[in-house]
Amino acid sequence: MRYNQLGQSSIKISEVSFGCMSLNGTTKENIDLIHKAIEHGINYFDTADLYDAGKNEKVVGEALKEKRQDVVLATKVGNELRADGSGWDWNPTKSYILKAIDKSLQRLGTDYIDFYQLHGGTIDDPIDETIEAFELLKEQGKIREYGISSIRPNVIQRYIEKSNIAGVMMQYSLLDRRPEEAVLDLLAKNDISVLVRGAYAKGLLLDKPAKEYLNWTAEEVRQVKEKLEGLCGNLQTIRKAVLHYPLQHKAVASVVSGIRTGEQLTASLEVLDGGEEVIDLIRQLKGDLQPNFYESHR
């Protein structure tokens, strides 16, 4: 397992990390799976207060309580659950963030969070006060670093200009190359790390049946899968190419993989070593496939 620096911080994170949102087993099964991931070198675990209305944080906290010093724990804030359970509302205000973190800390069973992220963001947010909240939490020692989870170039640009974010989580894959348009090079230039979600494009790049995805039609997705199969030859090599595609950019520190079973964990770990053959495949795929561009959500 290789480890990469998170932005300009002292935090090092595994290049494949554990997206905890996918956990759906019993508490014991989930804890055992997280412990297995740690044994194999994964040290970054990503959750959010929104996932399963906070229950996901509780499971993750229970799993990590004896291993807290050995892991990098990340969670997110900004989606305020309604008291009646009917859904949630976007709330990036300073007052809400300062209240929400204490609840996350309690659920996680820890007194600090390594990487605290705004779970979204729009250009109309009160960005200055959001940043004030995160900076205050750093001063208080409740968080070590902060960032945002966003695909919006204009929002990311604003945080680059105004804040000390260490990282940005964003969707990035062979079927979603929008970050290549305006974001990846900019973040690399400013020493801000990218944490990739959606590298497998909901499994469409692996073994899920082709269907419409972003600007791709179902037929176009099928053609991409055929190209992958033709170039790679087998599912194992496809997994390697798909995983390593985002890791080729110097801004990317980790691919956050949604893991819910031991088999999925093993599959992610088995393709860690890419090799020159996979890098050549990626170069060809990048040249053959059309890039996407931001048509909305800027």
Side-chain angles (χ1 to χ4, degrees):
M1 181 72 71
R2 286 178 286 271
Y3 299 87
N4 297 313
Q5 187 175 348
L6 179 63
Q8 299 182 53
S9 75
S10 61
I11 298 172
K12 294 286 187 74
I13 61 175
S14 49
E15 66 177 358
V16 170
S17 47
F18 198 119
C20 300
M21 183 179 71
S22 297
L23 291 171
N24 66 351
T26 66
T27 298
K28 183 181 185 306
E29 288 169 343
N30 292 334
I31 290 174
D32 288 347
L33 184 59
I34 288 173
H35 287 178
K36 183 178 178 182
I38 294 172
E39 289 169 8
H40 285 85
I42 291 176
N43 78 334
Y44 180 88
F45 294 85
D46 182 271
T47 181
D49 57 3
L50 182 67
Y51 300 160
D52 203 12
K55 294 177 184 176
N56 194 270
E57 284 186 326
K58 289 182 179 180
V59 170
V60 173
E62 177 68 18
L64 299 179
K65 66 181 180 180
E66 303 297 333
K67 304 175 183 292
R68 183 66 186 91
Q69 302 303 315
D70 303 322
V71 300
V72 178
L73 178 55
T75 191
K76 309 183 195 75
V77 66
N79 294 293
E80 183 176 12
L81 288 165
R82 297 176 192 143
D84 63 4
S86 63
W88 59 86
D89 299 299
W90 178 238
N91 190 349
T93 62
K94 181 179 179 179
S95 60
Y96 175 66
I97 292 170
L98 296 181
K99 287 188 300 184
I101 190 168
D102 289 332
K103 294 178 181 178
S104 282
L105 289 170
Q106 184 178 27
R107 287 189 292 263
L108 290 164
T110 185
D111 56 4
Y112 72 97
I113 291 163
D114 296 291
F115 187 49
Y116 201 38
Q117 301 156 88
L118 185 68
H119 202 173
T122 75
I123 205 69
D124 298 319
D125 290 347
I127 290 175
D128 288 339
E129 70 169 88
T130 302
I131 294 169
E132 285 177 11
F134 285 124
E135 290 290 348
L136 178 58
L137 292 175
K138 279 189 74 172
E139 290 175 17
Q140 294 173 341
K142 291 183 178 180
I143 66 174
R144 294 175 66 191
E145 299 293 340
Y146 67 93
I148 59 173
S149 177
S150 176
I151 63 169
R152 301 172 186 262
N154 291 342
V155 174
I156 292 168
Q157 175 70 49
R158 191 71 62 86
Y159 275 89
I160 291 173
E161 293 169 356
K162 290 175 169 282
S163 77
N164 297 302
I165 56 172
V168 178
M169 178 176 282
M170 66 181 67
Q171 189 167 293
Y172 181 35
S173 71
L174 278 166
L175 287 179
D176 186 359
R177 293 172 58 188
R178 291 175 297 174
E180 295 174 11
E181 177 193 353
V183 172
L184 293 179
D185 290 345
L186 181 63
L187 289 168
K189 180 181 177 181
N190 286 275
D191 294 322
I192 298 169
S193 294
V194 172
L195 300 103
V196 170
R197 62 178 177 83
Y200 299 123
K202 297 183 178 180
L204 294 176
L205 289 168
L206 301 178
D207 48 8
K208 294 286 180 66
K211 65 177 182 179
E212 190 175 307
Y213 186 78
L214 297 178
N215 61 305
W216 301 88
T217 65
E219 175 58 23
E220 288 170 336
V221 170
R222 186 187 64 78
Q223 291 172 3
V224 170
K225 289 167 70 74
E226 286 182 353
K227 186 178 291 291
L228 273 169
E229 291 165 2
L231 285 173
C232 298
N234 58 67
L235 183 59
Q236 183 77 344
T237 306
I238 291 173
R239 283 186 178 275
K240 284 189 178 185
V242 170
L243 175 70
H244 284 271
Y245 178 78
L247 286 169
Q248 295 309 298
H249 197 284
K250 61 183 178 180
V252 176
S254 186
V255 173
V256 182
S257 184
I259 297 169
R260 62 167 58 93
T261 67
E263 291 76 17
Q264 289 176 341
L265 173 62
T266 299
S268 295
L269 294 169
E270 285 178 347
V271 297
L272 276 176
D273 293 324
E276 200 60 42
E277 175 193 5
V278 170
I279 292 173
D280 289 341
L281 285 171
I282 289 170
R283 289 195 191 104
Q284 187 166 343
L285 287 165
K286 192 170 183 177
D288 289 349
L289 299 179
Q290 291 295 317
N292 323 61
F293 299 97
Y294 288 97
E295 297 174 358
S296 58
H297 302 300
R298 294 199 72 90

